[in-house]
Amino acid sequence: MNRLTQILDPEAWGLRVGPNGELMVGDLSVVELAREYGTPVHILNEHRLEKTASQFWQSFRAAYPGKTSVHYAFKCNSVPVVVQTVRRAGLKAEVMTEFELDLAVHLGYDGEEIIVNGPCKTDAFLHKCVTEGVRLIVIDSLEELRVLSQISEAFGKDVCVLLRVNPDYVPQGMNRGTATGSRSRCAFGLDLKGGEVPVALRLLKQMKRVKFAGFHFHIGTGIRDPKDYSKALRCLAPMLAHTRSEGFAVKILDVGGGFASMTTREFTTREMLLYEGFDRLPSGMSRNCDASFDDFAREISIGVLQSFPSEELPELLFEPGRCLVSPNQFLLLTVHRVKQRPGVRKWLITDGGLGTVSMPTYYEYHEVFLCNNALRPRTERVTIIGPVCFAGDVVYRNKLMPEVRSGEVLAVMDSGAYFTALESSFGFPRPAIVSVHQGLHRLVRRRETFEEMVARDQLVTGTVIEEEVR
């Protein structure tokens, strides 16, 4: 059985096909969930998410002889029930905005369980990080380091930091838009080749309240080859040696996130150009490897052991997001109209698309199933679009699908990562989220109401306007 055939099996996402061909999550019919809650709607497999998060931590804890800590990346999916689920598995928090910090505290995280990342930490945000007593602040620039020193002095509180380093390493085939370890294409981190790390270390020697704890690096998103992490570590070897020679102990090494979900992938730059220019949708997942959490843990552990003396092993930090939540949530859309122009193309017009709920399908490959009959043969290429009145409201162009009829339901898989983070109200309410757990289902985020969509607006009557004009 080849990789493309395997990925078309719903079992890759913990789903199954019922006796009538209906897609099932446990004993629950996906079509019935769509009917009960309406569409668009996200279905979260809560038990499977907790199990996945636990497996991630166990893999790295077993492979690495030193201490490990796993911090879930809130930016990937900050829906409270998702955060609470990964927290039950023992994961801590990684945040990059004031909202995410407030959410982490609201959901019960202690400051010592929180690390703060991101390239644009405002002065107000840094103030809040200091007052909340977060464990670590990841420094992204020399200017940020200087500002944090002033804030910590004013508060009279010590602050521990990691220096984020841009290693100028880009995994082969990675889309340029997500190469966060590229020196020329991404502003994140201190410039390793430009000499900013030694400057930061000199500044730290002069600071009374800011304490150096170690380093952070992040090389991109959707990484499928574990060896990319060990290659990046080799880029950092001279820097680590210099740091030790300057008298600094690297107590913590944060290798970031970026671990891929093995049931979806980002388009390469070449694939994106062919898709946008010639409607050539990449053909599935057949070109990609199937690395496990154990594989990543083993390779990263070897890389760190080669980079540090055995008596100086740092605590290893990880910031997974996509690999945990992506395969454990899917998006349901109803096909309301089927339109065909002979010799041109066939469109499936649904209630969700790029303009509202499916932004990641613009740059990623996600499998799509017909929920009413997942066994119906895939016989035609169709373009799946959303309800918004602009031509770019597309889910996929030229997607191989079964014959689909009006009223049937589609499942866009792997909607756990960045779908809710990037959704928008483009004339439509944002969708609901339903959690399934041990045969039961419950609403964990209701569909947006009209009142909520206009809640921030100051509505005035014509009379008031006339009086203000006078």
Side-chain angles (χ1 to χ4, degrees):
M1 181 180 291
N2 63 37
R3 175 63 180 151
L4 182 56
T5 304
Q6 288 175 329
I7 206 64
L8 292 177
D9 185 349
E11 288 188 6
W13 292 269
L15 307 178
R16 67 183 184 87
V17 178
N20 297 320
E22 257 187 47
L23 198 63
M24 309 286 290
V25 51
D27 293 327
L28 300 172
S29 162
V30 171
V31 174
E32 289 301 320
L33 290 173
R35 288 173 181 162
E36 179 165 349
Y37 292 101
T39 58
V41 63
H42 291 279
I43 307 297
L44 170 69
N45 193 330
E46 190 174 334
H47 174 72
R48 192 168 184 262
L49 172 58
E50 183 175 353
K51 182 178 178 181
T52 303
S54 179
Q55 288 174 338
F56 184 96
W57 190 28
Q58 295 299 333
S59 292
F60 284 89
R61 191 161 61 175
Y64 184 63
K67 185 178 179 181
T68 60
S69 184
V70 182
H71 293 251
Y72 170 66
F74 274 43
K75 62 181 175 291
C76 184
N77 186 330
S78 60
V79 175
V81 70
V82 169
V83 176
Q84 291 172 321
T85 301
V86 298
R87 191 181 183 210
R88 288 199 303 269
L91 274 58
K92 300 175 183 178
E94 184 255 342
V95 304
M96 68 166 190
T97 68
E98 288 190 62
F99 161 73
E100 291 177 358
L101 177 57
D102 288 341
L103 179 62
V105 173
H106 178 73
L107 294 177
Y109 281 101
D110 181 80
E112 277 296 310
E113 298 177 299
I114 302 170
I115 60 176
V116 181
N117 214 326
C120 185
K121 305 182 197 74
T122 64
D123 292 7
F125 186 23
L126 290 173
H127 273 276
K128 180 171 284 190
C129 293
V130 173
T131 57
E132 290 290 350
V134 301
R135 183 188 182 194
L136 293 164
I137 297 176
V138 180
I139 296 297
D140 197 77
S141 68
L142 295 174
E143 182 179 1
E144 183 178 274
L145 180 59
R146 295 187 183 100
V147 171
L148 181 60
S149 178
Q150 295 169 359
I151 292 172
S152 61
E153 288 279 353
F155 274 90
K157 293 182 68 173
D158 290 349
V159 181
C160 290
V161 301
L162 301 179
L163 299 180
R164 178 165 182 165
V165 179
N166 186 308
D168 198 26
Y169 175 79
V170 179
Q172 186 176 4
M174 175 166 285
N175 188 315
R176 294 178 178 181
T178 54
T180 56
S182 168
R183 184 185 185 216
S184 62
R185 304 186 190 281
C186 185
F188 297 168
L190 300 176
D191 184 7
L192 179 65
K193 291 184 176 179
E196 286 190 329
V197 174
V199 175
L201 294 175
R202 288 197 296 270
L203 288 173
L204 283 163
K205 285 185 177 181
Q206 302 166 12
M207 295 176 177
K208 297 179 181 178
R209 291 291 186 179
V210 181
K211 308 299 180 183
F212 173 79
F215 291 105
H216 172 289
F217 69 94
H218 192 289
I219 56 176
T221 187
I223 298 168
R224 313 185 75 81
D225 187 351
K227 291 187 181 299
D228 282 317
Y229 287 92
S230 53
K231 290 176 182 177
L233 279 166
R234 285 197 289 272
C235 295
L236 301 178
M239 179 198 72
L240 295 173
H242 173 76
T243 303
R244 287 192 289 267
S245 71
E246 289 292 313
F248 289 94
V250 180
K251 297 178 181 179
I252 297 173
L253 182 64
D254 188 337
V255 303
F259 307 95
S261 164
M262 291 301 157
T263 47
T264 186
R265 67 177 178 88
E266 291 198 343
F267 300 153
T268 66
T269 300
R270 181 177 182 274
E271 287 173 334
M272 178 68 83
L273 291 172
L274 289 173
Y275 181 46
E276 291 302 313
F278 302 97
D279 282 359
R280 288 179 55 181
L281 180 64
S283 56
M285 305 290 294
S286 57
R287 296 172 59 250
N288 296 273
C289 62
D290 274 327
S292 67
F293 292 157
D294 288 345
D295 296 328
F296 280 102
R298 189 181 310 111
E299 187 66 27
I300 292 172
S301 180
I302 291 172
V304 175
L305 291 173
Q306 292 174 343
S307 303
F308 288 86
S310 58
E311 68 276 9
E312 296 180 16
L313 288 183
E315 177 184 356
L316 269 188
L317 267 59
F318 306 92
E319 302 168 4
R322 177 186 304 275
C323 65
L324 307 181
V325 295
S326 178
N328 293 312
Q329 184 174 300
F330 54 93
L331 172 67
L332 299 183
L333 304 174
T334 297
V335 178
H336 289 271
R337 300 289 182 268
V338 178
K339 180 182 287 188
Q340 185 163 10
R341 290 178 183 162
V344 181
R345 69 177 66 204
K346 185 175 186 178
W347 289 272
L348 306 182
I349 304 174
T350 76
D351 46 21
L354 192 94
T356 52
V357 296
S358 71
M359 174 59 79
T361 63
Y362 175 70
Y363 53 86
E364 294 175 349
Y365 181 88
H366 292 253
E367 195 47 77
V368 181
F369 287 104
L370 174 60
C371 301
N372 302 74
N373 187 350
L375 299 178
R376 194 179 297 169
R378 295 178 182 245
T379 57
E380 58 185 14
R381 291 197 174 272
V382 299
T383 293
I384 307 169
I385 66 173
V388 176
C389 286
F390 82 104
D393 191 29
V394 174
V395 179
Y396 282 122
R397 297 189 296 274
N398 287 338
K399 180 78 175 74
L400 184 63
M401 291 291 292
E403 182 180 356
V404 180
R405 305 171 189 117
S406 296
E408 293 188 316
V409 179
L410 304 180
V412 180
M413 307 310 298
D414 285 273
S415 74
Y418 299 102
F419 274 69
T420 54
L422 296 174
E423 68 188 10
S424 67
S425 295
F426 197 148
F428 294 86
R430 287 176 289 187
I433 302 174
V434 172
S435 172
V436 297
H437 183 62
Q438 296 181 342
L440 303 175
H441 54 90
R442 61 190 176 102
L443 191 67
V444 294
R445 173 175 284 181
R446 57 182 169 76
R447 193 174 312 282
E448 195 172 31
T449 64
F450 170 79
E451 289 73 20
E452 289 165 336
M453 293 174 74
V454 299
R456 295 182 299 139
D457 298 303
Q458 300 297 316
L459 301 179
V460 296
T461 65
T463 302
V464 172
I465 293 176
E466 290 169 4
E467 289 175 354
E468 289 180 350
V469 170
R470 293 196 194 103

